Amino acid sequence: MRKVFPNFARLQAKIWFTFLMFLGLFTGMNAQVQSRSYQFVLRKLLKHTVPELSVEAVTKNLAAHPVFIDAREWNEYAVSHVKGAIWVGYKDFDLARMERVDKNSPIVVYCSVGYRSEKIAEKLLAAGYPQAANLYGGIFEWVNRKQALVNLEGHPTEYVHAYNKMWGTWLRVKKKRKVYK
């Protein structure tokens, strides 16, 4: 099989990731957020205009090598981010920051809770990135599910930017680990 289809493993990963995206769209995968009150806020906040992936779906399928895109502001990204994530920003989003990303790559866009990343995922889909999906619950749910973050030097960190005190209530980490500046 390998000689006939040299990119077979990559094709398998791409098909699996696409399946997860559609499964999330049609089966309410967004219900994976642990807190019921957080679920309620997200259902009302988001427009659900792009495919949504749960933290669980993404972490179970890291073999697909998704490209993580951070749609937060630079100061938030600088505190911590998902390992390997590419910062694209939100207010000053520039599609040029995506030039290193293959348009057919599986893409997981995230922000704090999913609102800004939903808007950036819409822009990516419109720009010809067909596998862009929103991380449902954002980096807050990523952390709440005990997934790792790194700092600008690439070292593991416990700190996460909590956006502000109101939104930071959905981040279930010790207060001293929340950063607001």
Side-chain angles (χ1 to χ4, degrees), residues 56-70:
E56 182 180 36
V58 172
T59 57
K60 282 186 177 180
N61 194 36
L62 288 177
H65 304 290
V67 177
F68 287 95
I69 302 296
D70 194 311

Side-chain angles (χ1 to χ4, degrees), residues 77-156:
Y77 176 84
V79 171
S80 62
H81 52 272
V82 175
K83 185 176 182 178
I86 298 170
W87 176 78
V88 297
Y90 177 69
K91 288 179 185 171
D92 65 343
F93 172 73
D94 184 350
L95 198 54
R97 293 182 185 129
M98 294 290 297
E99 66 186 20
R100 294 180 295 148
V101 179
D102 179 345
K103 284 198 171 191
N104 293 309
S105 295
I107 296 171
V108 178
V109 188
Y110 70 89
C111 64
S112 296
V113 299
Y115 177 80
R116 294 175 288 177
S117 51
E118 181 179 65
K119 302 303 176 212
I120 296 301
E122 288 172 355
K123 291 179 181 185
L124 292 177
L125 289 168
Y129 292 86
Q131 294 194 74
N134 189 19
L135 181 64
Y136 193 79
I139 199 169
F140 287 7
E141 187 65 12
W142 184 264
V143 171
N144 292 344
R145 294 288 183 138
K146 303 193 181 337
Q147 298 302 312
L149 296 175
V150 297
N151 60 22
L152 281 178
E153 291 78 36
H155 301 298

Side-chain angles (χ1 to χ4, degrees), residues 30 33 39 42-43 46 48 52-53 134-138 141:
N30 54 11
V33 169
Q39 270 182 39
L42 292 176
R43 270 191 240 117
L46 303 177
H48 311 284
E52 297 169 335
L53 292 173
N134 189 19
L135 181 64
Y136 193 79
E141 187 65 12

Side-chain angles (χ1 to χ4, degrees), residues 161-179:
H161 197 288
Y163 191 71
N164 65 31
K165 301 249 183 205
M166 185 186 85
W167 288 107
T169 61
W170 304 113
L171 184 56
R172 305 288 181 220
V173 296
K174 295 177 183 175
K175 286 185 180 184
K176 67 180 182 176
R177 303 281 188 217
K178 294 178 187 180
V179 176

